[in-house]
Amino acid sequence: MTDPNQPGNRLRVAIGGDHAGFPLKQVVSQQLAAEPFATLVGDIIDCGTDSTARCDYPDFAVAVSREIILGNADRGIVVCGSGVGVSVAANKIPGIRAAICHDTYSAHQGVEHDDMNVLCIGGRIIGSELALEIVRAFLGAHYTPGERHQRRLDKVMEIEAQGRDALGL
C-alpha cells in the first residue's frame, strides 16, 4: 500500500458519484490523469456512476470506501449534488474519515490534522475550477501526527470502535 503521508508518493485514488455528481466527477477524473495531478496521482479507480441516470449516492460512498478499506486506494473522492449525502454515508464505514469540503483550507487541513481519507464535494454547489483546486489541496496534503493531532484522532478512533457505547448511556 502506498503511504499517502509520505511526500513524493503517487496516490491511488478511488472516485465515484451519483447522477447529480456525475458531470463534476467526470471532469475531476479526467484531470487526475493529466498534469499537474500526474505527479500526485498514480492509479485512478472509477467506482461509477457512468451517466446522469438517477441512482443512489450511498452506493458510491460504499464503493469508494471499499477500495480504501481493501487497500486498493489511498484516498477517495465522492461527489453528489451537495456533498452532504456521500459524506454522511461514507462516515458510517469504520476506517473512513470523510468530510465535505468546498474550500481549499478545509481540504488540506482535514488531511493534515484529522487524517481525512475521503473528500466529499457537491457537484451542484461548486464549479469545476474550484473543485480541482480543492482536490489538489486534498491530494497534496499529508497527515502531521503531532501530539495534539494524534491525541484527537485517537479519540475519534475510540468513538468509532465503541459505536453507541461511546455515548455512555
Side-chain angles (χ1 to χ4, degrees), residues 44-166:
I44 302 164
I45 303 165
D46 189 332
C47 297
T49 190
D50 299 321
S51 75
T52 56
R54 290 205 179 274
C55 53
D56 300 327
Y57 66 83
D59 298 339
F60 305 98
V62 168
V64 167
S65 297
R66 179 182 300 117
E67 296 300 325
I68 293 169
I69 298 303
L70 290 175
N72 298 328
D74 305 302
R75 302 249 177 100
I77 300 168
V78 282
V79 189
C80 68
S82 68
V84 174
V86 290
S87 177
V88 170
N91 277 306
K92 298 295 182 186
I93 300 167
I96 297 301
R97 291 170 303 282
I100 182 173
C101 298
H102 289 150
D103 63 89
T104 58
Y105 178 79
S106 298
H108 73 77
Q109 189 270 342
V111 174
E112 294 164 355
H113 292 195
D114 306 309
D115 202 18
M116 177 175 75
N117 54 11
V118 174
L119 173 67
C120 305
I121 51 180
R124 293 177 174 161
I125 305 299
I126 60 173
S128 60
E129 289 303 315
L130 178 55
L132 293 171
E133 289 179 30
I134 292 166
V135 168
R136 189 174 301 111
F138 169 66
L139 296 177
H142 306 285
Y143 176 57
T144 53
E147 185 274 328
R148 68 187 170 114
H149 300 150
Q150 191 61 53
R151 181 181 71 247
R152 294 167 184 160
L153 182 58
D154 289 344
K155 287 182 177 186
V156 170
M157 303 293 272
E158 183 63 25
I159 293 167
E160 179 180 272
Q162 290 181 4
R164 296 185 96 172
D165 291 341

Side-chain angles (χ1 to χ4, degrees), residues 19-41:
H19 60 284
F22 175 73
L24 184 56
K25 177 199 148 241
Q26 289 303 99
V27 169
V28 171
S29 292
Q30 291 167 357
Q31 291 300 308
L32 288 178
E35 292 297 336
F37 286 102
T39 58
L40 292 172
V41 178

